[in-house]
Amino acid sequence: MNLVQFYAEHSGEVLGLIGQHLYLVAISTSVAIAVGLPVGIALTRRPRWRGPVLGLANVVQTIPSLALFGFLIPLPLIGGIGARTAVVALVLYGLLPIVRNTYTGITGVDPAVREAGRGMGMTDRQLLLMVDLPLALGVILAGVRIATVVNVGTATIAAAIGAGGLGVYIFRGVAMVNDALILAGALPAALMALAADGLLGLAERRLAWRPK
Amino acid sequence: MTPALEVRGLRAGRVLVNDLSFTVGSGETLVLLGRSGSGKTTTLKLINRLLEPTAGEVHLAGERAADLPVTRLRRRIGYVIQEIGLFPHFTVERNVGLVPRLEGWPPARTAERVRELLDLVGLDPRQFSTRYPHQLSGGQRQRVGVARALAADPPLLLLDEPFGALDPITRVELQREFRTLEGRLGKGVVFVTHDVREGLLLGTRIGLMHEGRLAFLGTPDEFRSSDHPECQAFMSAA
């Protein structure tokens, strides 16, 4: 059975799995941004927390994804079988690049520019919104891009705990020793990662400040 | 008349700055001269409260600096540093108009003020308003820095080695222009430098800082003839 034929016969199911996959990645990356950006900003204000917070995020990143999904299952509220658990794991994976790049981006802003802003009477909030974030935006978006691309890949593993997504075909294909079935899941996932990388790279170039 | 700046018994840390007192009138330029680490820059930062003094008082145009909200105080003090610190993602126009914008001026008034100031520092507004800092030469950047500091018409200007990073020819050019500007502005100016020639050219008075203290305070002529060893050390270096 070739791939084209497979897609033709299962188009409804394929689109459903692509939808689930996109949902997992979109929700988890959005939450990772919503949490990671403020945490990264907070670290620039409280440098003493930098070691512990980035260390913890690093450790999470080293846990194999299949193991992390497994660890989360028995936990109350966030655990269990299904998409919710998968989203929690994907958020944890997405946090590190976003927190780290937010921190690095802001601390990389020319100290003279920040001193000038402060010396001219900007409030902390104005300094953040008018100087720090616009100048760090390129680095922050690069972190978002990494988090998204990594999560498109990791989300395939989420099928192992019943979260759906394109991993369903991959796991089924592995179990049935069916290469075409593995490919049926892997190919759209790979294309999705490339598309995310391309789009976010474009956003980075369009939105981020750089000397022209 | 109330002086633009009055500093009384200013102190920071144990020895960074110690028991500093001076006044700067409107139209007057006090040059703070001294070696690296003598406390010149610290003094400026104590005036605009980038550093908080451990003792002493600063009065800006008659108002106690410690009583003003810190952002309000800073918006009433023009501040120019050696690295200039122009916002790289703002055009020249937005850089110069920053404090008026923070202060909520109507855009038309800000735009008018920006044009006026660019003219004042010798940059054609039509040519330079829409440029970004990286499209300017070092001298042009520092002109923008001075224009930006003057934007909201503050009674006091603090300049921290503003011409220190420029090439010698541009530096002399800007020193000359600043000298003519000083008189026209009628503002109190505190100008930090370690270059004694620059200090003598631009200062109506010289304050010599040594180990956090004001070792000498007087006119350039008094400075030249002073028998204070640190003054003589500087004069022999000129």
Side-chain angles (χ1 to χ4, degrees):
Chain A
M1 187 170 64
N2 72 36
L3 208 54
V4 179
Q5 202 185 336
F6 178 83
Y7 281 145
E9 283 167 21
H10 301 83
S11 58
E13 191 187 34
V14 172
L15 289 176
L17 291 178
I18 290 177
Q20 280 179 343
H21 207 94
L22 282 173
Y23 169 82
L24 288 175
V25 174
I27 295 288
S28 59
T29 307
S30 306
V31 175
I33 294 170
V35 176
L37 196 66
V39 169
I41 293 167
L43 290 189
T44 64
R45 306 289 189 263
R46 300 265 182 286
R48 221 184 309 163
W49 297 356
R50 187 190 63 128
V53 171
L54 288 184
L56 185 71
N58 260 320
V59 168
V60 170
Q61 200 92 146
T62 63
I63 305 173
S65 46
L66 197 52
L68 183 59
F69 286 126
F71 286 141
L72 289 174
I73 288 176
L75 295 183
L77 293 175
I78 57 167
I81 297 288
R84 191 182 46 194
T85 313
V87 166
V88 172
L90 294 176
V91 167
L92 290 176
Y93 281 122
L95 276 177
L96 176 70
I98 294 173
V99 171
R100 191 183 45 203
N101 279 37
T102 303
Y103 175 82
T104 313
I106 293 177
T107 49
V109 173
D110 183 356
V113 171
R114 307 190 77 227
E115 191 194 323
R118 205 168 274 288
M120 292 170 71
M122 284 187 178
T123 61
D124 283 345
R125 192 187 161 78
Q126 287 165 337
L127 196 67
L128 181 69
L129 295 178
M130 297 171 78
V131 178
D132 287 348
L133 286 180
L135 290 176
L137 190 63
V139 182
I140 295 172
L141 283 176
V144 171
R145 182 156 64 119
I146 294 166
T148 309
V149 170
V150 166
N151 274 353
V152 170
T154 311
T156 56
I157 317 278
I161 57 164
L166 291 162
V168 169
Y169 283 160
I170 300 177
F171 278 101
R172 198 183 294 163
V174 169
M176 296 166 64
V177 202
N178 181 338
D179 285 352
L181 202 50
I182 296 176
L183 212 55
L187 192 68
L191 291 176
M192 203 184 283
L194 284 174
D197 192 51
L199 285 176
L200 288 164
L202 192 70
E204 220 175 291
R205 284 189 295 280
R206 291 291 294 275
L207 297 176
W209 173 85
R210 71 181 69 226
K212 278 131 208 133
Chain B
M1 199 175 134
T2 339
L5 175 70
E6 190 175 355
V7 170
R8 264 187 253 143
L10 201 62
R11 181 195 291 264
R14 212 171 273 168
V15 288
L16 272 174
V17 164
N18 208 339
D19 199 24
L20 218 58
S21 297
F22 57 82
T23 58
V24 181
S26 301
E28 194 183 20
T29 298
L30 172 69
V31 166
L32 288 181
L33 191 66
R35 308 177 188 222
S36 305
S38 58
K40 313 182 295 286
T41 296
T42 307
T43 304
L44 290 194
K45 291 185 176 176
L46 289 168
I47 294 171
N48 68 10
R49 286 175 63 194
L50 284 174
L51 297 171
E52 289 293 339
T54 41
E57 284 192 359
V58 172
H59 291 252
L60 176 70
E63 281 187 275
R64 227 170 72 104
D67 293 341
L68 291 166
V70 71
T71 52
R72 270 217 59 79
L73 172 79
R74 290 175 187 158
R75 289 173 200 177
R76 294 184 57 199
I77 301 176
Y79 186 47
V80 183
I81 55 179
Q82 181 179 335
E83 306 85 354
I84 313 173
L86 293 183
F87 302 110
H89 57 311
F90 283 6
T91 57
V92 166
E93 187 171 17
R94 283 190 76 195
N95 264 290
V96 176
L98 181 80
V99 177
R101 197 145 53 95
L102 295 180
E103 288 286 87
W105 289 22
R109 184 171 162 219
T110 305
E112 176 57 36
R113 180 69 180 156
V114 169
R115 274 195 295 277
E116 195 181 305
L117 284 165
L118 288 179
D119 271 332
L120 185 74
V121 298
L123 295 174
D124 180 0
R126 273 164 309 177
Q127 198 184 342
F128 288 96
S129 287
T130 54
R131 289 204 194 170
Y132 284 88
H134 71 272
Q135 298 166 319
L136 305 176
S137 71
Q140 289 167 342
R141 269 182 231 168
Q142 198 51 284
R143 286 165 200 262
V144 175
V146 172
R148 183 174 68 169
L150 290 168
D153 202 18
L156 179 70
L157 275 188
L158 305 177
L159 299 103
D160 192 353
E161 297 194 31
F163 310 139
L166 303 174
D167 66 82
I169 296 166
T170 311
R171 187 187 311 153
V172 169
E173 206 177 286
L174 261 76
Q175 285 169 349
R176 287 206 188 109
E177 286 179 31
F178 189 76
R179 197 179 145 83
T180 33
L181 205 59
E182 282 174 334
R184 289 168 57 190
L185 290 173
K187 300 189 180 303
V189 177
V190 182
F191 190 110
V192 158
T193 182
H194 55 236
D195 176 349
V196 65
R197 293 176 57 181
E198 181 174 76
L200 291 170
L201 177 72
L202 299 178
T204 46
R205 275 187 309 154
I206 309 286
L208 182 76
M209 291 200 66
H210 187 54
E211 292 172 351
R213 288 170 184 277
L214 210 48
F216 167 91
L217 182 63
T219 65
D221 283 336
E222 288 165 350
F223 181 85
R224 284 191 192 90
S225 54
S226 167
D227 53 7
H228 192 288
E230 192 66 8
C231 293
Q232 291 186 337
F234 265 97
M235 281 314 296
S236 63

